[in-house]
Amino acid sequence: MLAAADALFADADAPQTVSMDAIAAAAGVGKGTLFRAFGDRDGLLDSLAAAKFLPLRTAVESGPGPLGPDTPAPDRIVAFLDAVLTFKLENRNLMRAREVATTGNLQSERYRWMHGLLQRLIQDAATGCTANDAGYVAHALLATLHIDLIDELLTTGRSVEDIRRAQAAQALAALGGAARSGR
């Protein structure tokens, strides 16, 4: 079912038009089967995004540098944000369907995990930074990766490399600000 949904979203001109009926038909199951398995369209989108995100999550939790746990926190933050940008670019329609056409993205397990990871890394990198300040900075950095913003930047002439450079500079600047807020 997830493979069928993935194929439909990847090929869609407008991801919001991919219906549960279309996914059920492509998967060769009844629509009720989808609803029993995922609850609703948001649940299906969350499950698909989580499945596709798993290799990145595994690399962060137990892989080698620059994403893995043995990398210094500032370098890891920059690498992680770059990897999330790459993930979103590679899964644009799925991300557009999840982040734009639905509600509750900030409550998704994937977002909470990313936010928690960044919050911890920011606290490690910015000595004295409070959990509240690190949490705010984590939200702010993740907001720069919303698919609408990425699409707007690309549409207005920024290259992916331009976005990567600006994102890395913003992350490092935010770490400096977080460190100062802890003083």
Side-chain angles (χ1 to χ4, degrees):
M1 292 183 284
L2 291 177
D6 187 30
L8 287 173
F9 282 111
D11 293 337
D13 290 330
Q16 66 274 17
T17 63
V18 177
S19 68
M20 293 293 270
D21 287 326
I23 295 168
V29 300
K31 189 168 142 180
T33 301
L34 282 181
F35 283 101
R36 280 189 296 282
F38 302 107
D40 58 16
R41 189 170 189 268
D42 287 351
L44 182 139
L45 291 169
D46 283 342
S47 293
L48 180 54
K52 294 182 73 72
F53 194 75
L54 186 58
L56 174 55
R57 185 170 178 163
T58 300
V60 168
E61 290 177 344
S62 59
L67 291 173
D70 293 335
T71 303
D75 297 336
R76 197 167 176 214
I77 290 167
V78 170
F80 176 70
L81 293 171
D82 186 65
V84 172
L85 173 64
T86 300
F87 173 81
K88 289 193 176 195
L89 289 169
E90 290 173 352
N91 296 282
R92 241 179 175 150
N93 280 347
L94 172 61
M95 292 296 94
R96 195 172 295 112
R98 182 60 190 107
E99 293 181 6
V100 177
T102 63
T103 60
N105 186 51
L106 299 182
Q107 288 75 42
S108 72
E109 192 278 332
R110 181 178 43 84
Y111 183 88
R112 282 186 265 165
W113 177 82
M114 291 190 301
H115 179 267
L117 171 72
L118 279 176
Q119 184 176 11
R120 289 185 302 278
L121 290 173
I122 291 163
Q123 283 188 273
D124 288 348
T127 306
C129 181
T130 67
N132 283 340
D133 287 346
Y136 179 84
V137 173
H139 279 303
L141 291 173
L142 289 170
T144 67
L145 293 171
H146 194 280
I147 197 66
D148 273 354
L149 177 58
I150 294 168
D151 283 344
E152 175 65 18
L153 292 170
L154 292 170
T155 299
T156 57
R158 303 255 172 82
S159 69
V160 171
E161 193 52 43
D162 289 340
I163 296 169
R164 281 194 165 101
R165 273 193 305 274
Q167 178 179 270
Q170 181 64 34
L172 294 173
L175 288 177
R180 285 189 300 278
S181 74
R183 290 184 190 153

